[in-house]
């Protein structure tokens, strides 16, 4: 008969060993999970074409496979090859997509695709118009965007120089990828980026959300992928900005550029992620405004909102020629403004309505109309009446006597509520001109929601309360809201809630109702933004 093995150890030792094993397993899982989240993630470079189906094309187009006219079908968002729906499978097998990554080499050859050239295209060899015949004819390089007649191709050099956007393009032969697996999932991460032999090279990352606007984000993502390396174009719906900004760490001796396609909220999100990543050379930030407010984009010359009329070539040229402008930031990441009272109430009502019925808010015009309705309602209801009796205001240690108000706005930039300027010194006033990098905050008062509407159509004057580096504002019968500008003191935030009335507040268009509390804000840093030089190109 076999012997029965018996454990004679202390049962407490067994429990202790099991506990240590479980704890170590948990720690290992967390470490692996954090490692999985880090790194500049990209799509599968071997996947090939990414077809996007459309019901109607906006210009005469021919199928790249059967060469017949094309009205509806699909086109690849990376290489822009267009095909009938029934031709997709054959086209996938025959035509190579835009190359994202190549083995290491010192140069790259042109990658030509036939036909469907942009209107008014010119041959880079003979200088005459090309792509004008009613058929699939002539060629375009997917990287340098050179166009040439079929019969002129033999006169072209085979080496591609990446064209006029070479200083912002990430060449595919400069990238090394690694494959990582975690919990049966596989992803591709950029392991190394080698600097190309291109003078003044400063690669561009484009951030957009495919769900933003009326499909405007999705169209912009596809448009930028055709001009840049698709690796450089990041969909924030799929990849968080912290992961994408890891790319900048791969180039410690190069200052990169970032183009954020979105509203003030998206800009704040990316700037916040930039603080977490801690890059040696902070990238220069440009904005392509989407949405309704876009006050920071207005101040920096990028316009009130992208309407689709300006082509991507003009936008890239503007990013390349923009100048650097520093932007003061507060530790609560208040880049634009903070407000309490009637304007925050309107923004809060709009936000709650959009959260409950997102399908209604599909265009900028509808958004503005809903804002107007909530503003009109607040004129009648006056939810923030007698705010001046509920709030104390101190500026650089001096208490301010407030008139009858329903709102207070503290500004870091001179654009608020979708482009309204609250700070233009009038007669008898001796305020410094507003600046986004002078360390000063401007404070203005609002009489009512009707006052806001009149300000937006230049039928009323703003109430300027003053400028200061240190500002206190809060309920007189409660612990006050507290704003302080200080370059040396560490960030400190205190929040005290009591069973008394709450007030609507907003920071950069993000609203909520705040109970009695103390909020301390100090100067955080300066973001390196890009200010557009050719402002007249954007409405």
């Amino acid at each position: 008969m076999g012997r029965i093995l018996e454990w004679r150890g202390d049962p407490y030792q067994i429990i202790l060993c099991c506990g240590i094993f479980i704890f170590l397993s948990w720690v290992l899982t967390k470490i692996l999970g954090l490692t999985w989240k880090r790194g500049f993630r990209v799509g599968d470079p071997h996947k090939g074409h990414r077809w996007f189906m459309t019901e109607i094309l906006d210009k005469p187009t021919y199928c790249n496979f059967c060469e017949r006219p094309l009205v509806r079908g699909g086109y690849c968002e990376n290489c822009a090859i267009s095909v009938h729906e029934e031709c997709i499978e054959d086209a996938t097998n025959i035509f190579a997509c835009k190359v994202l990554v190549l083995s290491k080499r010192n140069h790259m050859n042109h990658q030509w695709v036939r036909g469907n050239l942009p209107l008014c295209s010119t041959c880079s060899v003979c200088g005459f118009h090309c792509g004008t015949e009613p058929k699939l004819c002539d060629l375009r390089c997917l990287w340098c965007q050179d166009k040439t007649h079929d019969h002129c191709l033999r006169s072209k050099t085979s080496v591609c120089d990446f064209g006029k956007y070479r200083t912002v393009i990430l060449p595919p032969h400069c990238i090394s990828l690694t494959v990582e697996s975690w919990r049966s999932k596989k992803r591709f991460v950029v392991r190394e980026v080698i600097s190309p032999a291109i003078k003044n090279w400063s690669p561009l990352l484009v951030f957009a959300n495919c769900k933003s606007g009326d499909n405007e984000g999705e169209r912009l993502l596809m448009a930028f992928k055709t001009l840049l390396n698709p690796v450089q174009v990041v969909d924030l719906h799929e990849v968080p900005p912290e992961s994408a900004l890891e790319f900048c760490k791969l180039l410690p001796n190069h200052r990169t550029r970032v183009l954020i396609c979105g509203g003030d909220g998206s800009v704040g999100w990316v700037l916040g992620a930039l603080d977490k990543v801690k890059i040696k050379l902070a990238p220069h930030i440009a904005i392509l405004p989407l949405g309704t407010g876009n006050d920071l984009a207005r101040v920096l010359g990028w316009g009130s909102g992208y309407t689709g009329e300006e082509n991507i070539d003009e936008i890239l040229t503007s990013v390349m020629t923009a100048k650097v402008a520093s932007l003061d930031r507060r530790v609560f990441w208040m880049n634009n403004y903070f407000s309490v009272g009637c304007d925050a109430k309107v923004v809060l009502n709009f936000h709650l309505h959009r959260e409950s019925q997102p399908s209604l808010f599909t265009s900028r015009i509808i958004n503005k109309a809903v804002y107007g309705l909530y503003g009109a309602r607040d004129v009648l209801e006056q939810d923030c009446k007698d705010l001046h009796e509920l709030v104390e205001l101190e500026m650089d240690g001096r208490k301010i006597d407030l008139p009858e108000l329903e709102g207070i706005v503290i500004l870091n930039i001179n654009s608020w509520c979708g482009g309204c300027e609250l700070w233009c010194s009038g007669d008898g006033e001796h305020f410094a001109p507003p600046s986004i990098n002078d360390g000063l905050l401007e404070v203005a008062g609002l009489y009512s929601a009707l006052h806001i509407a009149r300000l937006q159509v230049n039928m009323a004057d703003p109430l300027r309360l003053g400028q200061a580096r240190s500002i206190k504002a809060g309920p007189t019968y409660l612990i006050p809201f507290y704003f302080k500008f200080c370059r040396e003191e560490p960030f400190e935030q205190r929040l005290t809630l009591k069973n008394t009335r709450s007030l609507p507040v907003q920071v950069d268009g993000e609203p909520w109702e705040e109970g009695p509390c103390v909020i301390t804000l100090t100067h955080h840093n300066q973001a390196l933004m890009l200010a557009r030089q050719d402002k007249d190109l954007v409405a």
Side-chain angles (χ1 to χ4, degrees):
M1 296 179 64
R3 298 178 60 188
I4 299 175
L5 297 178
E6 189 175 332
W7 174 265
R8 298 184 181 276
D10 190 341
Y12 291 104
Q13 293 180 351
I14 300 174
I15 296 174
L16 180 62
C17 292
C18 292
I20 293 174
F21 176 77
I22 294 172
F23 175 74
L24 292 176
S25 300
W26 178 81
V27 170
L28 182 61
T29 301
K30 288 295 182 182
I31 293 174
L32 291 175
L34 289 174
T35 305
W36 172 260
K37 292 179 182 178
R38 295 193 186 108
F40 181 36
R41 291 153 42 188
V42 298
D44 187 347
H46 312 297
K47 190 175 182 179
H49 297 284
R50 294 175 61 92
W51 299 108
F52 178 81
M53 306 308 296
T54 180
E55 291 296 323
I56 187 168
L57 298 168
D58 57 359
K59 66 175 183 177
T61 306
Y62 296 88
C63 176
N64 280 89
F65 177 73
C66 68
E67 302 190 9
R68 292 184 289 112
L70 179 66
V71 176
R72 53 175 300 198
Y75 65 92
C76 177
E77 63 179 31
N78 289 345
C79 67
I81 286 180
S82 302
V83 293
H84 293 101
E85 186 173 358
E86 59 270 20
C87 298
I88 286 180
E89 184 176 351
D90 293 323
T92 301
N93 295 330
I94 293 176
F95 300 114
C97 190
K98 194 171 186 177
V99 179
L100 279 67
V101 180
L102 281 176
S103 58
K104 293 182 181 179
R105 59 177 74 173
N106 295 324
H107 68 276
M108 177 181 172
N109 293 334
H110 290 288
Q111 189 175 354
W112 299 106
V113 61
R114 182 175 300 282
N116 300 320
L117 272 60
L119 297 176
C120 303
S121 294
T122 303
C123 177
S124 59
V125 177
C126 66
F128 289 99
H129 288 298
C130 58
T132 56
E133 298 183 46
K135 63 178 182 179
L136 195 74
C137 64
D138 300 332
L139 302 163
R140 171 178 60 90
C141 177
L142 295 177
W143 289 99
C144 66
Q145 307 304 319
D146 262 7
K147 292 89 178 175
T148 179
H149 293 107
D150 291 316
H151 59 270
C152 292
L153 181 61
R154 60 181 179 273
S155 301
K156 287 281 296 182
T157 177
S158 61
V159 178
C160 179
D161 65 356
F162 297 98
K164 62 179 179 178
Y165 300 126
R166 65 178 67 90
T167 59
V168 298
I169 289 178
L170 178 61
H173 60 272
C174 295
I175 308 173
S176 295
L177 293 184
T178 185
V179 182
E180 295 182 354
S181 298
W182 168 247
R183 292 181 178 177
S184 73
K185 296 180 181 179
K186 185 171 68 173
R187 70 171 189 175
F188 294 84
V189 179
V190 177
R191 184 183 72 241
E192 182 184 16
V193 177
I194 301 173
S195 302
I198 299 175
K199 187 178 180 181
N200 299 323
W201 184 65
S202 178
L204 173 70
L205 287 179
V206 178
F207 292 165
N209 190 326
C210 66
K211 302 296 183 181
S212 64
D214 186 16
N215 293 325
E216 199 64 65
E218 188 173 41
R219 286 193 288 266
L220 285 170
L221 287 169
M222 289 188 290
F224 280 110
K225 285 178 180 179
T226 61
L227 292 181
L228 304 172
N229 190 328
V231 167
Q232 300 173 248
V233 185
V234 179
D235 185 356
L236 294 177
H237 184 67
E238 299 179 352
V239 180
E242 292 87 351
S243 173
L245 288 170
E246 291 285 337
F247 170 78
C248 304
K249 286 187 173 181
L250 301 174
L251 294 166
N253 299 319
H254 287 270
R255 193 183 297 276
T256 58
R257 286 176 271 203
V258 173
L259 174 62
I260 306 172
C261 305
D264 291 332
S266 297
V267 175
W269 184 22
V270 175
L271 291 180
L274 193 59
D275 292 328
K276 298 176 183 178
V277 177
K278 300 186 184 303
I279 299 168
K280 179 181 177 182
L281 289 176
H284 293 162
I285 310 294
I287 305 172
L288 182 60
L290 304 177
T292 306
N294 304 316
D295 289 290
L296 183 56
R298 296 170 192 263
V299 170
L300 294 171
W302 297 101
S304 58
Y306 177 71
T307 60
E309 297 179 358
E310 187 179 8
N311 62 47
I312 303 301
D313 294 86
E314 292 176 329
I315 295 169
L316 284 179
T317 301
S318 298
V319 172
M320 294 168 64
T321 59
K323 68 176 183 179
V324 179
S326 299
L327 171 68
D328 288 334
R329 303 180 65 223
R330 271 64 190 175
V331 173
F332 196 55
W333 295 328
M334 184 194 86
N335 304 312
N336 302 348
Y337 44 75
F338 171 93
S339 68
V340 54
C342 57
D343 72 319
K345 181 66 176 179
V346 173
V347 177
L348 179 61
N349 287 333
F350 173 85
H351 173 74
L352 295 175
H353 193 172
R354 183 170 59 181
E355 288 289 308
S356 63
Q357 295 178 295
S359 60
L360 295 179
F361 300 85
T362 57
S363 72
R364 194 177 292 117
I365 295 176
I366 293 177
N367 292 351
K368 289 185 177 181
V370 176
Y371 268 117
L373 290 174
Y374 279 118
R377 192 177 82 172
D378 194 66
V379 170
L380 300 176
E381 295 179 352
Q382 293 183 301
D383 288 339
C384 299
K385 186 179 180 181
D386 299 327
L387 183 73
H388 60 289
E389 297 179 358
L390 307 177
V391 173
E392 277 187 356
L393 178 66
E394 285 187 18
M395 302 175 64
D396 287 337
R398 182 170 58 90
K399 184 176 179 180
I400 304 298
D401 293 328
L402 297 173
E404 292 188 10
L405 292 175
E406 291 187 22
I408 296 175
V409 184
I410 301 173
L411 298 151
N412 189 44
I413 65 174
N414 193 24
S415 182
W416 159 84
C417 200
C420 184
E421 295 185 2
L422 293 181
W423 207 259
C424 300
S425 299
D427 295 336
E429 295 179 336
H430 303 286
F431 297 121
S435 173
I436 65 174
N437 52 23
D438 60 357
L440 288 174
L441 295 170
E442 288 75 34
V443 185
L446 303 172
Y447 293 116
S448 64
L450 181 60
H451 186 209
I452 297 174
R454 297 182 65 196
L455 284 170
Q456 291 182 315
V457 294
N458 295 321
M459 293 182 62
D461 294 325
L463 174 61
R464 288 175 285 271
L465 299 176
Q467 293 173 305
R469 295 180 182 272
S470 176
I471 296 172
K472 276 187 181 181
T476 57
Y477 56 94
L478 304 169
I479 302 175
F481 291 99
Y482 180 52
F483 297 84
K484 186 175 181 182
F485 178 91
C486 179
R487 294 182 184 275
E488 298 178 354
E489 292 185 8
F491 166 65
E492 176 185 339
Q493 177 171 320
R494 293 176 294 169
L495 183 64
T496 306
L497 302 177
K498 295 183 179 180
N499 294 322
T500 48
R501 177 182 174 184
S502 59
L503 294 172
V505 300
Q506 66 154 329
V507 174
D508 295 352
E510 300 296 327
W512 72 93
E513 281 200 349
E514 187 63 80
C517 66
V518 174
I519 299 176
T520 301
L521 291 163
T522 63
H523 186 270
H524 180 51
N525 61 18
Q526 287 189 329
L528 299 179
M529 311 299 293
L530 288 174
R532 188 169 185 169
Q533 301 299 290
D534 49 350
K535 294 169 122 182
D536 55 311
L537 290 178
V538 178

